[in-house]
Amino acid sequence: MSPACAIPPVEYSPAKAPLLQPLEYTHLSSRKTLPAVWMRAGTSKGLFLHRRHLPASTHLWEPILLSAMGSSQGDGRQIDGVGGASSTTSKVAVVEGSSRPDVDVEYTFVQVAPDQPRIDMTGNCGNIASGVGPFSLDEGIVRAAPGQKEIDIRTYNTNTGQHIVETVQVAADGSFQEEGECRIPGVAGASSPIRLAFLSPGGSMTGQLFPSGAQQETLTVQSRTVGTFDVRVSLVDAANPFVLVDAASLPMPLPPYTISPTGDSNSNPNNPAFLSVVEDIRREGAVRFGLAADPQAAGKVRGTPKIALLSSAAENDEADIRVLAFTMGKPHASLQLTGAVCVGAATVIHGTIAWELARKGKRGTRPKHGMSVGHHQIAPPLPVGIRHPAGVIPVEAVLGMDHKGEVSVDNVAVFRTARRLFEGNVYYHV
């Protein structure tokens, strides 16, 4: 199984003048405007903004973004803003050119809660990251050379300090070439491929790939619903920190979860008792990660760490492993891109729960990870297939070895598509 969207790396180019011109905030009563682009990026949608159009202090962003997205009142429908009433359609990317060495573009990710007046800037969103390259090209933050058909855009995520190289297609006029034949699960239709290579993704928030020091462990959870129980987990921080749970060790059966053609979930695990158990595991994992002092404190930050339930793929499945991820307390309709990076990395690292489940019934098969020495790749990876409720996403992971023989995750690559939906000014009230 090889990615249908594979493209070779190319050289990057510097910036040009923006298409969205700077606008001063205008006053119509209490109403103000903010230049913006609405984009579908991967399987998410979000508001893309220039950093210079927001206040200098990030502490002043919250009321602006809550109002623009429609979350100021926390009614869940976001009826008074442009948000789509779900966590995957209530996101913001704030983008600017970079003065950092070997970086073209910086972006800050903001998760806006659709059902409460709160934003979360603790983690990254890989799907939204896939729109940063196309936005930067269209807005003139980076510039392709005349006749260049694809470009590598070196991106830095300010939330996590991650470096991502985005390879995007270039149209004849130097803008993002949107049309193409690449298809991804969870999105109808085809677009041009966007390759995202997460460089050294380990330790995005904690500084370590395995912050607890163990590839897997047993977590004792004090549940508000079913009492005390033990569950098998791997706590992995790659692209985002994830509590990866062996679904077979849950205190209740994992309900079936599928996606209908309309995107609605059928027979889904949305019952309150199950969601409460998943959240209790996530909170206990946050404490073990070192991201929260106690489960109560962990409950105040819903964006990180994230949590996903893992199980073995069916014997005749093209995929290597099955995943049910959660976002902001709800089952994810597909899989976060950072989740694909994290699970993909864990699947090729000896001893993790993901590694065990992916190898179940497949002993004797060759490792799928690539290999690099001193960041020079010496063996190419084979795609790891991760099945989620909307389909299968292939992930290519390369492990690296330093001069001491220590192994780490050198890079993990995935493919996405993106589409610019509208541009103009979004109104907000503060």
Side-chain angles (χ1 to χ4, degrees):
M1 181 182 61
S2 60
C5 315
I7 50 178
V10 293
E11 297 296 324
Y12 63 90
S13 297
K16 64 179 181 181
L19 299 179
L20 270 186
Q21 298 300 317
L23 296 178
E24 294 183 359
Y25 300 121
T26 59
H27 293 263
L28 298 173
S29 183
S30 64
R31 188 170 66 185
K32 300 178 182 180
T33 62
L34 183 63
V37 170
W38 189 250
M39 289 186 69
R40 194 268 301 167
T43 54
S44 294
K45 287 197 292 186
L47 206 59
F48 283 69
L49 308 171
H50 285 275
R51 176 69 174 79
R52 67 180 182 275
H53 292 157
L54 287 170
S57 172
T58 57
H59 298 294
L60 301 177
W61 292 5
E62 184 170 68
I64 297 173
L65 300 181
L66 288 175
S67 176
M69 298 299 284
S71 293
S72 294
Q73 305 305 316
D75 69 354
R77 299 177 300 159
Q78 294 183 310
I79 200 72
D80 218 18
V82 298
S86 72
S87 63
T88 55
T89 57
S90 186
K91 301 182 176 185
V92 179
V94 182
V95 186
E96 65 178 332
S98 180
S99 59
R100 297 174 188 268
D102 300 321
V103 175
D104 300 310
V105 179
E106 298 183 18
Y107 90 100
T108 301
F109 169 66
V110 185
Q111 176 70 65
V112 180
D115 57 349
Q116 56 184 284
R118 181 184 298 179
I119 66 173
D120 189 339
M121 298 171 61
T122 59
N124 186 16
C125 173
N127 276 299
I128 288 297
S130 69
V132 172
F135 175 83
S136 300
L137 195 59
D138 282 345
E139 293 299 307
I141 300 174
V142 297
R143 180 177 59 195
Q148 191 172 0
K149 294 185 178 180
E150 60 186 14
I151 182 173
D152 276 358
I153 300 175
R154 303 171 303 177
T155 305
Y156 177 82
N157 174 245
T158 64
N159 308 75
T160 61
Q162 290 177 340
H163 290 79
I164 307 168
V165 177
E166 300 187 34
T167 304
V168 302
Q169 306 301 293
V170 183
D173 63 356
S175 64
F176 169 52
Q177 174 59 52
E178 198 168 86
E179 303 306 318
E181 300 301 320
C182 184
R183 297 177 182 271
I184 62 173
V187 177
S191 302
S192 68
I194 302 169
R195 184 181 189 269
L196 288 91
F198 288 73
L199 309 183
S200 301
S204 66
M205 287 186 66
T206 66
Q208 299 178 71
L209 183 62
F210 299 107
S212 70
Q215 276 76 15
Q216 66 170 272
E217 59 194 284
T218 298
L219 205 62
T220 299
V221 179
Q222 305 290 335
S223 171
R224 299 161 292 173
T225 305
V226 299
T228 302
F229 64 90
D230 290 338
V231 64
R232 286 209 318 147
V233 302
S234 287
L235 304 178
V236 186
D237 182 1
N240 258 333
F242 266 80
V243 182
L244 303 180
V245 182
D246 180 359
S249 69
L250 290 169
M252 57 179 65
L254 175 63
Y257 187 65
T258 58
I259 298 297
S260 73
T262 61
D264 298 325
S265 53
N266 299 324
S267 304
N268 65 62
N270 267 313
N271 71 79
F274 186 82
L275 293 179
S276 178
V277 166
V278 171
E279 174 62 10
D280 288 335
I281 298 171
R282 190 195 71 83
R283 293 184 185 185
E284 202 65 52
V287 176
R288 185 70 175 138
F289 261 117
L291 296 174
D294 52 53
Q296 291 71 34
K300 296 178 181 179
V301 181
R302 298 200 299 171
T304 51
K306 301 184 185 301
I307 187 168
L309 311 181
L310 310 185
S311 53
S312 295
E315 189 173 335
N316 59 348
D317 197 337
E318 62 175 318
D320 295 281
I321 194 168
R322 293 177 62 90
V323 176
L324 174 59
F326 291 76
T327 175
M328 304 296 281
K330 302 288 186 181
H332 201 293
S334 55
L335 175 63
Q336 304 98 325
L337 200 67
T338 54
V341 171
C342 191
V343 174
T347 301
V348 300
I349 297 175
H350 184 280
T352 68
I353 286 171
W355 179 83
E356 281 189 6
L357 294 174
R359 288 172 58 86
K360 191 173 183 180
K362 300 178 182 178
R363 300 189 184 279
T365 58
R366 63 159 285 194
K368 289 197 168 186
H369 64 78
M371 201 70 203
S372 69
V373 177
H375 298 293
H376 296 287
Q377 186 170 306
I378 60 174
L382 295 174
V384 172
I386 303 174
R387 180 166 295 284
H388 54 76
V392 177
I393 180 171
V395 178
E396 297 176 351
V398 176
L399 300 183
M401 182 179 295
D402 64 16
H403 64 283
K404 295 180 180 179
E406 296 290 331
V407 175
S408 62
V409 182
D410 188 85
N411 69 82
V412 181
V414 288
F415 288 85
R416 298 281 86 182
T417 63
R419 191 170 294 277
R420 193 178 178 105
L421 302 177
F422 69 75
E423 62 183 56
N425 296 305
V426 62
Y427 289 103
Y428 69 94
H429 297 257
V430 292

